[in-house]
Amino acid sequence: MNNKYFLIGVIGIIVAGVFYLTSSVTLSPEDDSSESVDYVSVSSEELEKMLENKDFVFIDVHTPEQEHIPSTDFMIPFDEVDKIESVIDNKDQKVVLYCRSGSMSKIAANELVERGYTNIYELNNGMNEWGAKGNNTVPKGSIETL
């Protein structure tokens, strides 16, 4: 019988703790610390359609260099956003970024958004998805590297 009361007490403490934690954390609109994403992730299929009428600067941000998607304009490492800014001075210019898996392109996309760029896209799942769909690539060294 003592075990029953002990268990009820433990459950009570847990419920009280959860209530305390959820009720004590309130965010005002100006104190919202949730991550804001101001770029668009596109699939390989969406990118294929975009490439039909290419109206964007297309940058491979993967490090080290990999094979590239045809029509890529530049190869600029994801952690060298200053170089991206050097070729895209119009912060409203449409820019599409990609890497191998999507992680480096997301980092570069976030950095560009933080710097005031407003029309940023990144290829979700990167070259992994592009290649898995059987899409063409171009070899290393065929794209201008900055």
Side-chain angles (χ1 to χ4, degrees):
M1 184 161 316
N2 286 340
N3 287 341
K4 177 180 172 184
Y5 292 116
F6 176 76
L7 183 60
I8 291 171
V10 168
I11 291 171
I13 291 170
I14 291 171
V15 169
V18 169
F19 177 78
Y20 172 76
L21 289 174
T22 58
S23 65
S24 66
V25 177
T26 57
L27 296 175
S28 61
E30 61 274 3
D31 189 34
D32 186 7
S33 61
S34 64
E35 185 176 324
S36 171
V37 175
D38 294 315
Y39 60 84
V40 178
S41 289
V42 296
S43 67
S44 289
E45 292 84 6
E46 291 169 315
L47 178 60
E48 284 181 87
K49 290 176 184 159
M50 293 170 69
L51 284 167
E52 290 173 6
N53 297 306
K54 187 174 176 259
D55 63 346
F56 53 89
V57 177
F58 196 26
I59 304 173
D60 182 347
V61 296
H62 188 70
T63 300
E65 186 179 8
Q66 62 182 349
E67 289 185 340
H68 309 281
I69 297 172
S71 299
T72 298
D73 296 304
F74 301 103
M75 193 294 182
I76 304 173
F78 79 100
D79 57 350
E80 296 181 22
V81 175
D82 289 341
K83 288 182 180 179
I84 296 173
E85 282 189 304
S86 74
V87 296
I88 306 167
D89 56 357
N90 176 357
K91 293 194 176 192
D92 295 323
Q93 168 70 47
K94 188 175 188 179
V95 179
V96 179
L97 309 169
Y98 71 95
C99 63
R100 181 182 48 81
S101 67
S103 60
M104 292 178 185
S105 59
K106 284 176 177 48
I107 292 168
N110 275 318
E111 182 66 27
L112 287 171
V113 167
E114 285 178 13
R115 294 181 184 206
Y117 285 80
T118 61
N119 204 4
I120 304 298
Y121 294 74
E122 68 87 28
L123 177 59
N124 195 34
N125 299 317
M127 288 293 288
N128 289 342
E129 182 178 306
W130 183 263
K133 301 286 183 183
N135 294 311
N136 291 331
T137 61
V138 295
K140 293 178 185 181
S142 61
I143 305 296
E144 181 179 358
T145 302
L146 297 182

